[in-house]
Amino acid sequence: MADSPQVCGPAVPTESSRAVLRPLGVGDVDITGGPLGRWQRINREASIPLGLEQMERAGAVPNLRRAAGEADGAYQGYRFQDSDLYKQLEAVAWEHARRPGPGYPEFIAGSAALLGRAQRPDGYLNSHYQVVKPDKIYAELEYSHEMYCAGHLFQAAVASARAGGDPRLLEVSRRLADHLVAVFLTGGDDGIDGHAEVETALVELYRVTGERTYLELAGKLIDNRGKGLIKDSGMGPLYAQDHLPVREADTPVGHAVRQLYLEAGIVDVYLETGDESLLECSVRRWEDMVATKMYLTGGVGSRHDGEAFGERYELPPDRAYNESCAAIASVHWNWRLLLATGDGRYADLIERVLYNAFAASTSADGLRFFYVNPLQRRDDTVEDAYLGRRREWFACACCPPNIMRTVASLGHYVATTAGRATQVHQYVPGVIRSGDLVLRVSTDYPWDGRVTFTVERAPAGEWSLALRVPAWSAATTVDGAPVTPGERGYTVLTRTWRPGDTVELRLDLTPRLTHPHRRIDAVRGCAAVERGPIVYCFEQADQPVDLDELALVPGAALRVVPEEHLDGVGRTVLIEADAVAITQPSRGLPYTSTPPTGLATSTRVTATAVPYYQWDNRGAGAMRVWLPLA
Amino acid sequence: MADSPQVCGPAVPTESSRAVLRPLGVGDVDITGGPLGRWQRINREASIPLGLEQMERAGAVPNLRRAAGEADGAYQGYRFQDSDLYKQLEAVAWEHARRPGPGYPEFIAGSAALLGRAQRPDGYLNSHYQVVKPDKIYAELEYSHEMYCAGHLFQAAVASARAGGDPRLLEVSRRLADHLVAVFLTGGDDGIDGHAEVETALVELYRVTGERTYLELAGKLIDNRGKGLIKDSGMGPLYAQDHLPVREADTPVGHAVRQLYLEAGIVDVYLETGDESLLECSVRRWEDMVATKMYLTGGVGSRHDGEAFGERYELPPDRAYNESCAAIASVHWNWRLLLATGDGRYADLIERVLYNAFAASTSADGLRFFYVNPLQRRDDTVEDAYLGRRREWFACACCPPNIMRTVASLGHYVATTAGRATQVHQYVPGVIRSGDLVLRVSTDYPWDGRVTFTVERAPAGEWSLALRVPAWSAATTVDGAPVTPGERGYTVLTRTWRPGDTVELRLDLTPRLTHPHRRIDAVRGCAAVERGPIVYCFEQADQPVDLDELALVPGAALRVVPEEHLDGVGRTVLIEADAVAITQPSRGLPYTSTPPTGLATSTRVTATAVPYYQWDNRGAGAMRVWLPLA
């Protein structure tokens, strides 16, 4: 075993790593309510059972039976179908660690046994290539997803191992990882998977096993990217981030999920090797992404074509791709940057992604999922029937089990420790166990800005409690006194704590009218509504007129509507805004010498906004995050 | 032979058709100067020779040799590679009709002979399916392009026949058309090609041969569309316009070139059968397209994904697809609607498309082509290296020979006759021979608004001369007197003409600041510059500051710069506009509670615009048609 601490979570740097913060395990934080608690309940009750059913129906398990010689019939689905099962296994492993569940150990043990039987004696394992293309093993890495699938297996095995589950998943993983090492590290093959993912997974497998060649292989795959070693899959070199060496690239490009999984691997390798040049280049791209290529919701990927990042400031709300998996990959990357630097801006972004881009991916009942998460839907989205509404499952089902593994492990992302300190990054009601400090957190966040911490168990001597002050909170108090956060975005209370001590944090939830940078062409002249970490949107169902005729009054007064329950949505807080309805005739060329204001008529109305993540739970109507200013 | 008149042009309704206007042949109009004359010269001197070279190099001719059993080696290129040769043949046929050229008859005769040898005894002809997939003939119509290729062959044969060329092209076409009739009309097979094109071509072949089953098959293919008879190619039913019967669809959808070729076929079948329901539905979609789905340049197709129409008002300038072939298909459709109705709005749109969306497709030297024609390019378009600049050729080379056949036949679109009248739709210097009326046209249009017509030969008795008054001309005079166009957009002079009579038309070329309809989200708060039929753009090369910092002063004064010659572009007329340079810091989240105006600094500058069609001839810098208003 390595010197990795016994922490049960999805990203746990070793004791000798460069991590300045240390994570807690998924079981060290109980989330007892709030949206995150609700998502965990629905994940357990609705999403995971649906996912388990789909493992048989959509072919992932039958394909592995075929690879084991135990079933007939044609291979089902995409060439990366194995990864659906691996993500589902990881979801179940974290969920079981959080709270043991019926059938979970059997599902993991049964899957591990099947994988053991499907695996070749030399360690290779991939049902698509074993069943369909045995002569093409590792010969089509530009699109084969073989290492991508392996990475997801490793992550599932790491989860199961950290949770103390069936060791066979780890055994299968080690045999496969050793095979990769034999071919691609000691064997001298310079192949690289077109879809990054195995890099971060190899580092995690190193952390659990102490096998250093896994870390070395991850480093090699990262160092060799951008040298043209990936054959063109027809999408060009940017698609797979093979256009430039990672240390030279200034901006995220190509397939968004690939770029962000790659970044997670880059930071992981930095953490374990101390190679500063890796952290530097990753931070550089993070800064560029945040300033020029990220949506207000924290979503990334502006283009359907290639599921890709666009150019700087290319951020169309209607054709935003914003794949759910990219939101998840962003959480992975930000989490590792947070551990590496302790800078709260990464925790700020995790919050933005979690409550918006990520949360929107799942329906209120946990049974339907978005693959694509736009910031605008028109009323004639008939053309996008496939991607325009949430669906139960997808032919390419990368997102649903990815969402499930993330929700099951949310406790991991709430708090960290470092020396004699605990850092709270996300505010959820429940309990945080950080070594000798046990905190009870009482809050109705994000609907209410008050968060009360009660010390249930205190360490001996002084201990610091660092509370993140979100950048959006204009006026923050602790126990009634205004606080100014430190450079890294936290307010730090260093005391000798006693059981029963309390701290009350108040964040400023005054609703905000938000304006885009003038270079974001696609939403010029528009504004959006935010409150706390929540981005709002306007759904047709709540408006008195056609949504596309609505315009906000500049500097519009925003009124918080007392909390309510919406059918199909559940608990919510709505916001009303002063607006006008503007009608412009639509006949002939929509280009005239008269400014549109001269052609339009307008009347005063009230526009009503609902949290973006709760959209599409009440029918197929139009939706906009950004409304024009009148 | 049918009762088709001996007119040598690409769309010639029969005498018994419902056409209210009758076309002239490509040889009936000499274009001696102006941009159209320049394009014809460059087409002959540069583009066509390049295209002829590519017929060998890119595989179209070698593939047919393989089908004829005369060559070895693997099939080259896409499954619709044959169509490149067919479009090239059509280009050469029209060019030869316009002005005989060296090697043209030999190229046509040699190709016809090769096609005759490649053609199966039963009439079937498609090199891809004969060489690569003989067992899949007509079995993959959803993406096979077999009828699409056949259609382009028919159009080439019609061109060659009308130009009095080698009859073998027509013989090959008839055998293939008879095979299609035997399978899909009398044979009862309800197959439909996923890519519409054969419909309009079959009607043209009927017009030349009098063979009514060709018209009947075209009608059947149109009537059966939208009934789910096309298998899903993976792109959904909208992609191939198979979502609704054509008489029920209200808006153009899916792959833009397919939709527009289909429309050309629909109007052609109306013209020859008189089925008013076909004209009605096509006009309905035209009106919807023009009002909600067309760019200022006349380009259509808002999405890279599926090369498709977007939703209503989804018109992003940066990600506009605007395929060059869609501009050509739009000319085909508009021309048929003009012949069917006599309504000048269709000629107006042909002018808009020709001088902008279409003209931009080709470099000033005629040697490079755009596939995609956006209205904005950012300075980091590195990501789009493939589609961001014009290229000499493409793996999918549908556009270049399509451009060549269109340029060679431009004379066809200038004027028409009807009864004792001549209608002039496009203003070009040269000669128009409309029966007994021969007009010399002197003009420097579109750089100058004066057009002088001199009668060189006059018919006996009264004859009407109808001159189109473009909708953009705010003040139009004829011989100094203001004119108000009739309902159909023409001013009509009915006289007994004498040789030497002159008419001077003056169109208003005052530059215009153009505003978009408020529902076009992607260019909200922006304006564009137009002058006459020319849409302008702002290229980085001409600006004193970073293009993306430029904003027009509302109601900006527009100044026409005296005509000049720009290196790489040639003759042009520039326009200067009052503008400001606005700098907004770009750090951290590009979303703030402060309106952008509060964060920016600005200075007065002059912005300089160049005709859009002349862009990308001076390097790879940024370009915008729409500039923000300060």
Side-chain angles (χ1 to χ4, degrees):
Chain A
M1 285 295 286
D3 58 352
S4 183
Q6 294 303 310
V7 172
C8 177
V12 185
T14 62
E15 293 289 351
S16 60
S17 77
R18 297 298 177 98
V20 302
L21 304 180
R22 305 278 162 186
L24 306 181
V26 297
D28 297 328
V29 176
D30 297 336
I31 305 174
T32 56
L36 274 67
R38 183 174 194 281
W39 302 337
Q40 288 202 321
R41 180 171 60 76
I42 283 164
N43 192 46
R44 184 183 184 92
E45 293 173 3
S47 308
I48 289 179
L50 170 68
L52 289 173
E53 225 180 279
Q54 288 287 355
M55 292 305 103
E56 279 289 340
R57 197 185 307 158
V61 168
N63 285 338
L64 283 157
R65 287 202 199 98
R66 292 178 186 111
E70 300 167 3
D72 294 326
Y75 179 89
Q76 290 169 258
Y78 282 93
R79 61 175 74 82
F80 44 81
Q81 208 81 349
D82 289 356
S83 64
D84 293 354
L85 173 64
Y86 300 150
K87 282 184 271 191
Q88 193 68 46
L89 281 165
E90 188 184 339
V92 168
W94 296 133
E95 184 61 23
H96 193 62
R98 204 174 71 78
R99 192 174 133 210
Y104 291 175
E106 294 75 11
F107 170 66
I108 295 176
S111 299
L114 172 60
L115 289 164
R117 298 194 303 277
Q119 189 167 38
R120 292 197 325 196
D122 66 358
Y124 182 85
L125 176 59
N126 181 292
S127 75
H128 180 76
Y129 281 86
Q130 289 174 253
V131 171
V132 179
K133 289 182 159 182
D135 57 322
K136 294 288 186 192
I137 283 170
Y138 297 150
E140 306 175 330
L141 287 172
E142 66 277 18
Y143 53 75
S144 76
H145 289 71
E146 284 160 289
M147 292 196 221
Y148 166 90
C149 287
H152 279 297
L153 171 61
F154 301 162
Q155 289 173 330
V158 165
S160 184
R162 289 200 178 124
D166 194 299
R168 279 178 295 177
L169 219 44
L170 194 59
E171 289 160 17
V172 168
S173 290
R174 292 203 61 159
R175 284 198 295 272
L176 175 52
D178 291 341
H179 189 254
L180 290 174
V181 164
V183 175
F184 297 102
L185 185 68
T186 55
D189 187 322
D190 284 329
I192 298 172
D193 196 297
H195 197 316
E197 145 68 4
V198 78
E199 298 80 0
T200 182
L202 279 166
V203 177
E204 280 282 283
L205 194 62
Y206 154 72
R207 288 166 176 163
V208 162
T209 63
E211 177 50 57
R212 201 157 175 95
T213 54
Y214 302 161
L215 176 61
E216 288 167 14
L217 177 56
K220 179 185 172 184
L221 292 171
I222 287 167
D223 289 345
N224 273 348
R225 225 173 181 93
K227 298 181 178 171
L229 295 170
I230 303 177
K231 275 182 275 182
D232 186 3
S233 63
M235 304 294 287
L238 290 140
Y239 181 67
Q241 297 78 45
D242 199 35
H243 60 304
L244 279 175
V246 300
R247 290 173 184 81
E248 295 172 26
D250 287 333
T251 185
V253 297
H255 191 279
V257 178
R258 296 173 190 223
Q259 176 78 63
L260 268 53
Y261 280 154
L262 177 63
E263 299 290 0
I266 288 169
V267 182
D268 269 334
V269 172
Y270 156 73
L271 283 167
E272 301 302 337
T273 65
D275 180 343
E276 298 277 351
S277 67
L278 288 175
L279 180 63
E280 275 168 28
C281 71
S282 196
V283 167
R284 189 168 69 231
R285 284 186 295 273
W286 185 92
E287 288 176 348
D288 193 63
M289 177 184 86
V290 167
T292 71
K293 296 190 175 183
M294 192 181 77
Y295 285 91
L296 184 63
T297 58
V300 291
S302 304
R303 297 184 180 176
H304 281 243
D305 194 41
E307 310 186 305
F309 279 102
E311 295 160 11
R312 290 188 177 100
Y313 300 110
E314 179 193 327
L315 292 162
D318 48 355
R319 295 293 288 170
Y321 197 70
N322 280 351
E323 186 178 336
S324 302
C325 288
I328 293 165
S330 178
V331 171
H332 292 189
W333 182 23
N334 278 287
W335 180 244
R336 285 157 177 79
L337 287 168
L338 177 63
L339 298 182
T341 65
D343 193 331
R345 64 182 181 168
Y346 304 115
D348 270 18
L349 186 48
I350 288 175
E351 179 177 63
R352 182 175 292 275
V353 173
L354 277 185
Y355 284 101
N356 302 290
F358 173 72
S361 67
T362 308
S363 62
D365 62 8
L367 290 170
R368 289 171 299 118
F369 308 92
F370 272 131
Y371 197 113
V372 171
N373 295 276
L375 276 71
Q376 177 181 4
R377 182 167 72 189
R378 293 190 179 82
D379 59 5
D380 58 345
T381 303
V382 53
E383 298 182 31
D384 266 323
Y386 181 75
L387 294 170
R389 303 291 315 271
R390 291 192 190 89
R391 290 167 61 94
E392 185 181 293
W393 211 252
F394 300 86
C396 172
C398 53
C399 299
N402 211 1
I403 294 164
M404 295 174 211
R405 69 174 180 148
T406 306
V407 173
S409 58
L410 282 173
H412 184 60
Y413 301 102
V414 170
T416 53
T417 60
R420 297 187 58 80
T422 296
Q423 300 80 33
V424 183
H425 308 292
Q426 306 302 337
Y427 299 114
V428 290
V431 177
I432 296 171
R433 298 178 201 85
S434 165
D436 286 337
L437 179 70
V438 176
L439 287 173
R440 173 161 300 279
V441 188
S442 305
T443 184
D444 195 24
Y445 189 84
W447 311 122
D448 187 276
R450 282 169 300 184
V451 187
T452 305
F453 301 87
T454 306
V455 175
E456 296 213 327
R457 185 173 151 193
E462 283 201 335
W463 189 274
S464 297
L465 178 62
L467 304 176
R468 182 176 61 92
V469 180
W472 49 255
S473 182
T476 305
T477 63
V478 168
D479 291 332
V483 295
T484 309
E487 198 189 325
R488 294 188 160 181
Y490 295 80
T491 185
V492 183
L493 314 173
T494 304
R495 299 178 192 167
T496 301
W497 300 91
R498 304 272 178 270
D501 283 357
T502 65
V503 173
E504 190 191 69
L505 171 73
R506 277 201 186 219
L507 301 171
D508 183 355
L509 294 193
T510 308
R512 317 186 295 280
L513 203 58
T514 299
H515 303 270
H517 192 283
R518 67 174 297 281
R519 289 201 46 193
I520 304 179
D521 295 294
V523 292
R524 176 169 290 113
C526 292
V529 172
E530 295 181 277
R531 180 174 182 252
I534 306 279
V535 173
Y536 276 71
C537 72
F538 298 85
E539 284 200 277
Q540 183 61 64
D542 301 315
Q543 314 313 326
V545 297
D546 184 340
L547 177 61
D548 285 313
E549 296 181 352
L550 267 187
L552 291 171
V553 173
L558 302 176
R559 296 176 292 277
V560 175
V561 180
E563 181 192 321
E564 61 182 297
H565 177 96
L566 281 187
D567 282 348
V569 171
R571 193 180 163 196
T572 194
V573 168
L574 303 178
I575 295 177
E576 291 180 351
D578 292 338
V580 289
I582 305 178
T583 313
Q584 181 181 346
S586 181
R587 211 175 171 292
L589 268 190
Y591 308 108
T592 62
S593 294
T594 315
T597 45
L599 297 167
T601 54
S602 69
T603 51
R604 288 256 162 189
V605 293
T606 295
T608 303
V610 65
Y612 168 73
Y613 82 82
Q614 295 179 324
W615 85 288
D616 193 50
N617 282 299
R618 293 175 294 161
M623 180 277 289
R624 301 182 69 113
V625 168
W626 295 101
L627 270 192
L629 288 168
Chain B
M1 285 298 284
D3 58 351
S4 182
Q6 295 303 310
V7 172
C8 178
V12 185
T14 61
E15 293 288 352
S16 60
S17 77
R18 298 298 178 99
V20 303
L21 304 180
R22 305 277 161 187
L24 305 181
V26 297
D28 297 328
V29 177
D30 297 338
I31 305 175
T32 56
L36 274 67
R38 183 175 195 281
W39 302 338
Q40 288 201 322
R41 180 172 60 76
I42 282 164
N43 192 45
R44 184 182 185 91
E45 293 173 3
S47 308
I48 289 178
L50 170 69
L52 290 173
E53 226 180 277
Q54 288 287 355
M55 292 304 103
E56 280 289 340
R57 197 186 306 158
V61 168
N63 286 337
L64 283 157
R65 288 202 198 98
R66 292 178 187 110
E70 300 167 3
D72 295 326
Y75 179 88
Q76 288 170 260
Y78 281 94
R79 61 175 73 82
F80 43 83
Q81 208 80 348
D82 289 356
S83 65
D84 293 354
L85 173 64
Y86 300 149
K87 282 184 270 191
Q88 194 68 46
L89 281 165
E90 188 184 340
V92 168
W94 296 132
E95 185 59 22
H96 192 62
R98 203 173 71 79
R99 191 174 133 210
Y104 291 175
E106 293 75 11
F107 171 64
I108 294 175
S111 300
L114 173 59
L115 288 164
R117 298 194 303 276
Q119 189 167 37
R120 291 197 326 195
D122 65 357
Y124 182 84
L125 177 59
N126 181 293
S127 76
H128 181 77
Y129 281 87
Q130 288 174 254
V131 172
V132 179
K133 289 182 160 184
D135 55 322
K136 293 288 186 192
I137 283 171
Y138 297 150
E140 306 176 330
L141 287 172
E142 66 276 17
Y143 54 74
S144 77
H145 290 69
E146 285 160 291
M147 292 197 223
Y148 166 89
C149 288
H152 279 297
L153 171 61
F154 301 162
Q155 289 173 331
V158 165
S160 183
R162 290 201 178 124
D166 194 301
R168 279 179 295 178
L169 219 45
L170 194 60
E171 289 160 16
V172 169
S173 290
R174 291 202 63 159
R175 284 196 296 271
L176 176 52
D178 291 342
H179 189 253
L180 290 174
V181 164
V183 175
F184 296 103
L185 183 70
T186 55
D189 188 324
D190 284 329
I192 298 172
D193 196 297
H195 197 315
E197 145 69 1
V198 78
E199 298 81 1
T200 183
L202 279 166
V203 177
E204 279 282 282
L205 195 61
Y206 153 72
R207 288 166 177 162
V208 162
T209 63
E211 176 51 55
R212 203 160 173 92
T213 54
Y214 301 161
L215 175 62
E216 288 167 13
L217 178 55
K220 178 183 172 184
L221 292 171
I222 286 168
D223 289 345
N224 273 348
R225 224 172 181 92
K227 297 181 178 171
L229 296 171
I230 303 178
K231 274 182 276 181
D232 186 3
S233 63
M235 304 296 286
L238 289 139
Y239 181 67
Q241 298 76 47
D242 199 35
H243 60 304
L244 279 175
V246 298
R247 290 173 183 79
E248 294 173 28
D250 286 333
T251 185
V253 298
H255 191 280
V257 178
R258 296 174 190 223
Q259 176 78 63
L260 268 53
Y261 280 153
L262 178 63
E263 299 291 358
I266 288 170
V267 182
D268 269 334
V269 171
Y270 156 73
L271 282 167
E272 300 302 337
T273 65
D275 181 343
E276 298 276 353
S277 67
L278 288 175
L279 180 63
E280 274 167 28
C281 71
S282 196
V283 167
R284 189 166 71 228
R285 285 186 296 273
W286 185 93
E287 289 177 347
D288 193 63
M289 178 185 84
V290 166
T292 71
K293 296 191 175 183
M294 192 180 78
Y295 286 91
L296 184 63
T297 58
V300 290
S302 304
R303 296 183 179 176
H304 281 244
D305 194 43
E307 309 185 307
F309 280 102
E311 294 159 12
R312 290 188 177 100
Y313 300 109
E314 179 194 326
L315 291 162
D318 47 356
R319 295 294 287 168
Y321 197 69
N322 281 351
E323 187 179 337
S324 302
C325 288
I328 293 165
S330 178
V331 171
H332 291 191
W333 182 22
N334 278 288
W335 179 246
R336 285 157 178 80
L337 287 169
L338 177 63
L339 298 182
T341 66
D343 192 331
R345 63 182 181 168
Y346 304 116
D348 270 18
L349 186 48
I350 288 174
E351 179 178 62
R352 181 175 291 275
V353 172
L354 277 185
Y355 283 100
N356 302 290
F358 173 72
S361 66
T362 308
S363 62
D365 62 7
L367 289 171
R368 290 172 296 119
F369 308 93
F370 272 131
Y371 196 113
V372 171
N373 296 276
L375 276 71
Q376 177 181 2
R377 181 167 73 187
R378 293 191 179 80
D379 58 5
D380 57 346
T381 304
V382 53
E383 299 182 31
D384 267 323
Y386 181 75
L387 294 171
R389 303 290 315 270
R390 292 193 190 88
R391 289 166 61 93
E392 185 182 294
W393 210 251
F394 300 87
C396 172
C398 52
C399 300
N402 211 0
I403 294 165
M404 295 174 210
R405 68 173 181 150
T406 305
V407 173
S409 59
L410 282 174
H412 184 60
Y413 301 103
V414 170
T416 53
T417 60
R420 298 187 57 79
T422 296
Q423 301 79 34
V424 183
H425 307 293
Q426 307 301 335
Y427 299 114
V428 289
V431 177
I432 297 171
R433 296 178 201 86
S434 166
D436 286 338
L437 179 70
V438 177
L439 287 174
R440 173 161 302 276
V441 189
S442 305
T443 184
D444 195 23
Y445 189 84
W447 311 121
D448 187 275
R450 282 169 300 185
V451 187
T452 305
F453 300 87
T454 306
V455 175
E456 296 213 329
R457 183 173 153 192
E462 283 203 335
W463 190 275
S464 297
L465 178 61
L467 304 176
R468 182 175 62 91
V469 180
W472 50 255
S473 181
T476 305
T477 63
V478 167
D479 291 332
V483 296
T484 307
E487 198 189 325
R488 293 187 163 183
Y490 294 81
T491 186
V492 182
L493 314 173
T494 303
R495 302 180 192 164
T496 301
W497 301 89
R498 302 272 179 267
D501 283 357
T502 66
V503 172
E504 189 191 71
L505 172 73
R506 277 201 185 217
L507 300 171
D508 183 355
L509 295 193
T510 308
R512 317 186 293 282
L513 202 59
T514 298
H515 302 270
H517 192 283
R518 68 174 298 280
R519 287 201 46 192
I520 305 179
D521 295 295
V523 291
R524 175 170 290 112
C526 292
V529 172
E530 296 180 276
R531 179 173 181 253
I534 307 278
V535 174
Y536 276 70
C537 73
F538 298 85
E539 284 200 278
Q540 183 62 63
D542 302 314
Q543 314 313 324
V545 297
D546 184 339
L547 177 60
D548 284 313
E549 296 181 352
L550 266 187
L552 290 171
V553 173
L558 302 176
R559 296 176 294 276
V560 175
V561 180
E563 182 192 318
E564 62 182 299
H565 177 95
L566 281 188
D567 281 348
V569 171
R571 193 180 164 195
T572 193
V573 169
L574 303 178
I575 296 177
E576 291 180 350
D578 291 339
V580 289
I582 305 179
T583 313
Q584 182 180 347
S586 181
R587 210 175 173 292
L589 268 190
Y591 308 108
T592 62
S593 294
T594 315
T597 45
L599 298 167
T601 54
S602 69
T603 50
R604 287 257 163 189
V605 292
T606 295
T608 302
V610 64
Y612 168 73
Y613 83 83
Q614 295 179 325
W615 84 288
D616 193 51
N617 282 300
R618 293 175 294 160
M623 179 277 289
R624 303 181 69 114
V625 168
W626 294 101
L627 269 192
L629 288 168

